[in-house]
Amino acid sequence: MNKKWIVITGCTSGIGKVTAIRFLQEGYFVAGCGSNEKKVESLKMEWSSRFPNQFYVFVADLSTIEGQDTFSEKIKKEGIIPDILLLNAGVFLPGPILEEEEGALEKQFAINVQSAYRITRALAPSMMSKQKGHIITICSTASFTAYSNGGSIVTGK
């Protein structure tokens, strides 16, 4: 049997989780990550009875280069070649630009833009070797509409 894989960043809640469940229901295998250990463990418990042996989910901090690279390396080490790469991880840290925490811009950039770039660069070569696959990027509505207290909103995915 030829397994079909979808790799999803940020699959423990919201659009990422709903999308993962839909693909699992269609027979795909899901490899994904979340930044919150409790959510990842909860997701594993939830899916283990519904979709046994059909997913690979772990904690990855995509706000760091190390976390981004670790995620990609784990996917490759498992021999997973994505049929679909869904770049979904994202964060919005609201606040006026003069009052927000130091590092807010850098954290949003790392998760919203840099992780998508680095993970694509890491996984796309294997997809290209198969000469098939799709790379999908989920964008925030902030890509199109300004938010109040969004001083350092970073989009670009």
Side-chain angles (χ1 to χ4, degrees):
M1 179 177 122
N2 189 13
K3 293 181 180 178
K4 289 175 150 184
W5 282 96
I6 180 168
V7 173
I8 305 175
T9 61
C11 73
T12 58
S13 62
I15 292 170
K17 182 177 179 181
V18 170
T19 303
I21 291 170
R22 179 66 180 165
F23 275 89
L24 286 163
Q25 290 169 337
E26 294 296 321
Y28 274 77
F29 289 76
V30 170
C33 68
S35 61
N36 181 299
E37 187 171 354
K38 286 182 181 179
K39 283 186 175 183
V40 169
E41 291 308 315
S42 175
L43 187 69
K44 287 179 182 179
M45 294 292 289
E46 177 186 334
W47 289 358
S48 63
S49 60
R50 291 178 66 192
F51 310 107
N53 304 312
Q54 200 177 331
F55 65 91
Y56 178 65
V57 181
F58 56 92
V59 177
D61 180 0
L62 299 185
S63 71
T64 67
I65 289 174
E66 178 182 37
Q68 297 160 13
D69 291 348
T70 297
F71 176 70
S72 299
E73 289 306 314
K74 284 185 177 184
I75 297 298
K76 292 193 285 189
K77 185 178 179 183
E78 290 296 316
I80 297 168
I81 299 175
D83 293 281
I84 302 170
L85 173 58
L86 181 67
L87 302 160
N88 174 66
V91 67
F92 170 54
L93 304 172
I97 195 166
L98 299 178
E99 297 172 21
E100 67 188 11
E101 278 189 42
E102 185 62 36
L105 171 67
E106 292 80 3
K107 183 173 185 174
Q108 289 178 102
F109 182 81
I111 295 170
N112 298 354
V113 179
Q114 183 179 333
S115 73
Y117 173 82
R118 292 184 68 83
I119 292 166
T120 298
R121 284 184 50 92
L123 300 181
S126 66
M127 296 170 74
M128 292 174 68
S129 73
K130 283 183 18 178
Q131 295 187 338
K132 72 183 247 187
H134 303 278
I135 298 172
I136 302 167
T137 305
I138 302 297
C139 296
S140 167
T141 57
S143 299
F144 309 104
T145 305
Y147 279 72
S148 61
N149 289 320
S152 63
I153 269 187
V154 175
T155 60
K157 297 194 317 174

